[in-house]
Amino acid sequence: QSVLTQPPSASGTPGQRVTISCSGSSSNIGVNYVYWYQQLPGTAPKLLIYRNNQRPSGVPDRFSGSKSGTSASLAISGLRSEDEADYYCAAWDDSLSGWVFGGGTKVTVL
Amino acid sequence: EVQLVQSGAEVKKPGESLKISCKGSGYSFTTYWIGWVRQMPGKGLEWMGIIYPGDSDTRYSPSFQGQVTISADKSISTAYLQWGSLKASDTAMYYCARTYCSGGSCYSGYYQHWGQGTLVTVSS
């Protein structure tokens, strides 16, 4: 059971907008930044969003993040086939003094 | 270019010991925290712990405290994750990752750079 809660799956057709939610608590998302990682099949996780809504260099602006209270979300607009991957949210947890992750959301492009 | 290169896949029997490695290059190895993350087959990411190679300050997730040992040899820019007695439930992919920021106070920094992963299979 992951500390952060994500839906196990999400899907959309090419060009659509998909949103993934991430729910936490007052010891993690409520007081710290949220991060999103993309994991393509058979590869290591890749940082997609940092500090709630910032994109590292090279990440398309189709990806956007937001946070409100103890929840966060990742939106993928203009969905493309290459976006098929697992997406994980993460935050530092002050009570555990460590990183906590969501269980991951598998995005399928129909 | 920052690189984290992990050791190759391992196949072990229950009860055996194991030490896997993560070699950093392209940056000052001693000034960035290195974390370890477990991913069991078909499952999500789990944070195991971190080490600051500069002074070997090490912190563990409560879930992994006492189950594994994290260490580093700064003379060869390499971090390690080891088990004294493996169990079948240790079968997983293990990733090392480096924080984005440097310094001893950056232990909660997010992971910007990741190794390619080491697959550990424990089976009789």
Side-chain angles (χ1 to χ4, degrees), chain B residues 11-14 87-88 91 121-124:
Chain B
V11 179
K12 292 289 189 178
K13 288 180 167 42
K87 303 185 284 289
T91 294
T121 304
V122 184
S123 174
S124 55

Side-chain angles (χ1 to χ4, degrees), chain A residues 35 37 39 43-47 50-51 88 92 96-103, chain B residues 37 39 43-47 50 62 95 100 107-112 114-116:
Chain A
Y35 301 81
Y37 292 91
Q39 187 176 34
T43 69
K46 168 193 166 186
L47 181 67
Y50 67 100
R51 292 180 182 167
Y88 295 90
W92 181 264
L96 297 173
S97 290
W99 283 96
V100 291
F101 290 93
Chain B
V37 175
Q39 186 169 36
K43 301 298 184 182
L45 305 173
E46 301 172 272
W47 183 78
I50 45 173
Y95 294 101
Y100 82 100
Y107 57 88
S108 60
Y110 63 89
Y111 298 122
Q112 187 177 29
W114 293 68
Q116 84 277 19

Side-chain angles (χ1 to χ4, degrees), chain A residues 5-99:
Chain A
T5 302
Q6 296 180 236
S9 64
S11 62
T13 56
Q16 275 191 328
R17 176 184 171 92
V18 168
T19 302
I20 301 168
S21 62
C22 175
S23 177
S25 69
S26 57
S27 63
N28 43 65
I29 293 179
V31 291
N32 292 309
Y33 290 119
V34 176
Y35 301 81
W36 291 90
Y37 292 91
Q38 177 193 58
Q39 187 176 34
L40 297 169
T43 69
K46 168 193 166 186
L47 181 67
L48 196 66
I49 297 287
Y50 67 100
R51 292 180 182 167
N52 301 337
N53 55 19
Q54 303 300 301
R55 284 185 307 277
S57 173
V59 173
D61 59 6
R62 301 185 294 103
F63 295 93
S64 62
S66 64
K67 171 187 148 178
S68 178
T70 59
S71 294
S73 63
L74 173 72
I76 311 173
S77 59
L79 194 64
R80 303 175 67 157
S81 58
E82 58 259 41
D83 299 333
E84 278 209 343
D86 293 322
Y87 294 84
Y88 295 90
C89 59
W92 181 264
D93 190 293
D94 287 350
S95 295
L96 297 173
S97 290
W99 283 96

